[in-house]
Amino acid sequence: TRSASEDPIVAVAGFSTFDPPPGTNGENDDLLAGLTDQDPTSGWTSETYRNRDVTVHKPGFGLVADLGSTHELSELTVTSPNRGWAAEILVSTGGQPTDRAAWGDPVATVTDASPGATLVSFARRSGSRVMIWFTDVGEDRAVTVSSLEVRGR
């Protein structure tokens, strides 16, 4: 999928997972290095769930990109080999929110994603963190993110 934005790619300072109670406070965190290792065949993969609808077990879980400072964001591209996943896209400024409610309303929603690149446009949203809050891990009962790219100024 080609970027619709002329904006440059915003460097990601670091990745983390967001798995508040009743989650385990982590979601395969040891695999996060796969998002920054410059190897297109690696990535990060969630835990495997019995039911693809994560909300049966807990409200969801997140993959967080820390942008290091506040930017005017225009779009997000999430690349995944998985089919059928669903998520809310959330943006925050300042420190890491401590629960899902503190992230506020989603800036976008992805439903029934296709394998490959999923492009999400923002309406010039200011933020220093972007979270993909997964509520459905799709047909494979786990979701892999091969790459995540944020554009903005």
Side-chain angles (χ1 to χ4, degrees), residues 18-20 23 25 36 38 61 64 66 70 79-80 84 89 95-96 99 109-110 113 122 133 139 146 151:
F18 189 72
D19 192 23
N25 289 326
T36 59
Q38 306 303 314
F61 64 88
V64 179
D66 179 351
T70 301
T79 304
S80 173
I89 309 303
Q96 170 100 7
D99 61 25
T109 303
V110 175
F122 305 139
W133 179 253
E139 296 174 359
S146 306
R151 289 186 176 267

Side-chain angles (χ1 to χ4, degrees), residues 45-70:
T45 301
S46 73
E47 296 172 359
T48 301
Y49 290 84
R50 289 188 191 134
N51 189 319
R52 64 179 280 171
D53 178 0
V54 177
T55 65
V56 168
H57 309 287
K58 57 186 177 182
F61 64 88
L63 175 62
V64 179
D66 179 351
L67 307 177
S69 61
T70 301

Side-chain angles (χ1 to χ4, degrees), residues 12-153:
V12 176
F15 289 98
S16 62
T17 62
F18 189 72
D19 192 23
T24 59
N25 289 326
E27 187 80 23
N28 284 343
D29 290 13
D30 56 322
L31 301 178
L32 289 168
L35 291 168
T36 59
D37 63 6
Q38 306 303 314
D39 179 353
T41 64
S42 68
W44 167 84
T45 301
S46 73
E47 296 172 359
T48 301
Y49 290 84
R50 289 188 191 134
N51 189 319
R52 64 179 280 171
D53 178 0
V54 177
T55 65
V56 168
H57 309 287
K58 57 186 177 182
F61 64 88
L63 175 62
V64 179
D66 179 351
L67 307 177
S69 61
T70 301
H71 298 269
E72 289 297 316
L73 306 175
S74 57
E75 67 184 32
L76 168 72
T77 303
V78 180
T79 304
S80 173
N82 303 105
R83 174 184 312 281
W85 57 270
E88 296 175 340
I89 309 303
L90 303 148
V91 174
S92 77
T93 55
Q96 170 100 7
T98 56
D99 61 25
R100 167 59 191 86
W103 281 85
D105 293 331
V107 297
T109 303
V110 175
T111 56
D112 198 26
S114 296
T118 299
L119 180 66
V120 179
S121 294
F122 305 139
R124 286 285 174 203
R125 184 66 181 249
S126 181
S128 58
R129 296 181 196 293
V130 176
M131 180 168 69
I132 307 167
W133 179 253
F134 292 98
T135 55
D136 187 324
V137 290
E139 296 174 359
D140 297 325
R141 294 183 297 117
V143 65
T144 295
V145 174
S146 306
S147 68
L148 186 150
E149 181 181 277
V150 181
R151 289 186 176 267
R153 298 196 179 276

